[in-house]
Amino acid sequence: MSLRLYNTRTRSVEQFVPLRDDGVRVYVCGLTPSAEAHLGHARSFMFFDVLRRYLVHLGYRVTFVQNVTDVDDRSIEASRTLAKPWYEVIEHFFGSFKRSMDRLGVLEPDREPRATAYVPQIVELIAALIATGHAYAVGDGVYFDVKSFPRYGKLSGRNVAELRVGARIAPGEEKRDPLDFALWKFAKPGEPAWASPWGEGRPGWHIECSAMSHSLLGEPFDIHGGGEDLIFPHHENEIAQSESVFPAPMANFWMHGGLLQFDGKKMSKSLGNFEPLSTLLDRHDPQAIRLLFLRTGYRKPMNFTEDAIDSATSGLRKLYAAYDLLRSAPPREADGATVTPFRERFFGALDDDMNTSAALAALFDVAGAAPQLAGEGGGPQAAALLHEALELLGISPHRRARLPAGDPLAAAGPALLARLREAFAEVAEADGDVRAAIDAAIAIRNRARRNKDFALADRVRNLLADGGITLADSKEGTTWTAASGG
RNA sequence: GGCGACGUAGCCAAGUGGUAAGGCGGAGCUCUGCAAAAGCUCUAUUCCCCAGUUCGAAUCUGGGCGUCGCCUCCA
């Protein structure tokens, strides 16, 4: 079995064969950091992260490029309303995005080119488009002439004549055809501007991807990815630009992720119906969010609810518990064959157009069989499989989340400390912080338990519970956890 | 209006011709002073509806109904 992927270009699942022997080249359309990123972005980038990890696992040398469109109309708008330079707006949102990606365990792209760093290449590409009759300069900028590219609409299945029916030319735009799109926009006073042969201005959306993928990967490269909403017009326009000038098709595989919905509607900047990813990650385990997304096929639309994250969190705990059990099981007669069926199911599912849902089901079956596997001496093999598989999915048991950022005791801590001091002389005397007080209370309770004074033991448990502290007894002793959010 | 996707248990979800994966939740039991964790067992005669093709359909065809996406900035 080998990897098969759905290709938007051909609308079918195809065998994935790298174009060159020396590696696989992937270009994913990244963020335009003109606003906070949301969970929908996370879903998309996380999927391509898993795809990338799997390609590496298959032995390919992968070059993974994800661009940053660091200049656009929206960030210029934001700079006016926030009274900050446009580049500070960009840096703010991009920094926030990068931190979120890091928390989600999304690996750094090999290259993360910024549009503004590729202006010379962009200008060069536009010049070539003009020279070959595919673009023209007018009063407000340079436009791509859609009529000059007969294949326009092929990727998205659009009919140019039908598109033209509803299309309008906005006031101030001097393009000749409503379908034509901007390659270069001349700067109005106060707007960011770069020099070009046609006048000072900035790149239009779309052209940066053609210029940067050409510079970094060439044509054709293996996989071009992005969200489903990029198929039209973004990717259609990229194809028109690139393929008008470069002799080869732009990319071999075009892959698109399904959109995340909130409340039955797509999350989007214009609807504003989302919570910033950064604050959502303060409340939930990033690995649970990964698990949640991987449970649904990447091409399917998916509705987001916080309950779903909670359910994924439970599932994650189950996988980790099984991993811990298997790992500590005594190795006996090495018999790798016992985990082979699970292994084949897991990798077979990924080969089948990245069916992470079915792959995960195989891992949950390993978890279900963990006690048996451990008993039969298959623990180490099964643990190794789980580790390898979970690492591939980016939910490694070795990087499981500790408590979310921020001290969960910060809010409720002082009140709890006061209460403990009031209730127990021993705690009052110990001059410590909340944590020390909790430890002291636990000591009191454990002494009470040994003395069979369960009324006192329960009083301690309840007192701590009121402060958001949950106790758990085990053979190794008593541990506590603080409810997040205090 | 045009194009496209989807509709599977209480919730989420895989499965695209051979007789319904998996997760969450729920129920019972074991263990535990209590609790948690963990373990065991159970939880869709049926896949939005109606017709058709077939020995056989959740899967194919036709027709409904419903939801969503793209057609404008979007992952």
Side-chain angles (χ1 to χ4, degrees), chain A residues 3-5 14-18 24 55 60 222-223 252-253:
Chain A
L3 183 59
R4 278 158 286 122
L5 296 173
E14 296 174 32
Q15 194 68 46
F16 176 74
V17 182
V24 172
L55 289 168
Y60 298 119
D222 293 286
I223 297 172
N252 190 195
F253 276 79

Side-chain angles (χ1 to χ4, degrees), chain A residues 117-135:
Chain A
Y118 281 78
V119 171
Q121 289 87 340
I122 288 169
V123 166
E124 193 183 336
L125 179 55
I126 295 173
L129 283 165
I130 292 176
T132 52
H134 291 287

Side-chain angles (χ1 to χ4, degrees), chain A residues 36-39 42 92-93 95-97 99-101 103-104 273-286 289 304 306 309 404-406 484-485:
Chain A
E36 282 285 355
H38 55 64
L39 242 204
H92 171 76
F93 292 125
S96 171
F97 169 69
R99 280 191 295 279
S100 293
M101 289 298 110
R103 290 167 78 177
L104 283 163
N273 58 341
F274 61 85
E275 177 181 355
L277 182 56
S278 51
T279 71
L280 198 75
L281 287 173
D282 290 337
R283 279 186 289 121
H284 297 285
D285 181 348
I289 292 174
F304 164 73
E306 301 235 3
I309 301 186
S484 57

Side-chain angles (χ1 to χ4, degrees), chain A residues 4-128:
Chain A
R4 278 158 286 122
L5 296 173
Y6 182 82
N7 191 346
T8 305
R9 190 170 58 81
T10 57
R11 292 174 194 267
S12 59
V13 176
E14 296 174 32
Q15 194 68 46
F16 176 74
V17 182
L19 295 165
R20 287 201 215 143
D21 306 337
D22 65 343
V24 172
R25 292 159 295 154
V26 183
Y27 185 98
V28 172
C29 284
L31 192 74
T32 300
S34 56
E36 282 285 355
H38 55 64
L39 242 204
H41 297 115
R43 182 188 185 196
S44 184
F45 296 124
M46 205 211 71
F47 167 71
F48 286 106
D49 178 62
V50 173
L51 175 67
R52 172 198 193 177
R53 287 167 188 252
Y54 192 46
L55 289 168
V56 170
H57 171 90
L58 291 174
Y60 298 119
R61 197 176 69 83
V62 177
T63 306
F64 190 90
V65 179
Q66 183 174 301
N67 72 282
V68 187
T69 302
D70 60 350
V71 61
D72 77 321
D73 295 352
R74 196 181 289 270
S75 58
I76 293 169
E77 238 176 77
S79 97
R80 285 203 194 97
T81 52
L82 300 174
K84 285 209 288 199
W86 65 273
Y87 48 86
E88 279 183 22
V89 172
I90 292 283
E91 287 318 308
H92 171 76
F93 292 125
F94 185 58
S96 171
F97 169 69
K98 291 292 282 180
R99 280 191 295 279
S100 293
M101 289 298 110
D102 181 55
R103 290 167 78 177
L104 283 163
V106 172
L107 301 173
E108 285 272 316
D110 294 309
R111 301 297 301 269
E112 197 163 33
R114 292 167 169 241
T116 55
Y118 281 78
V119 171
Q121 289 87 340
I122 288 169
V123 166
E124 193 183 336
L125 179 55
I126 295 173

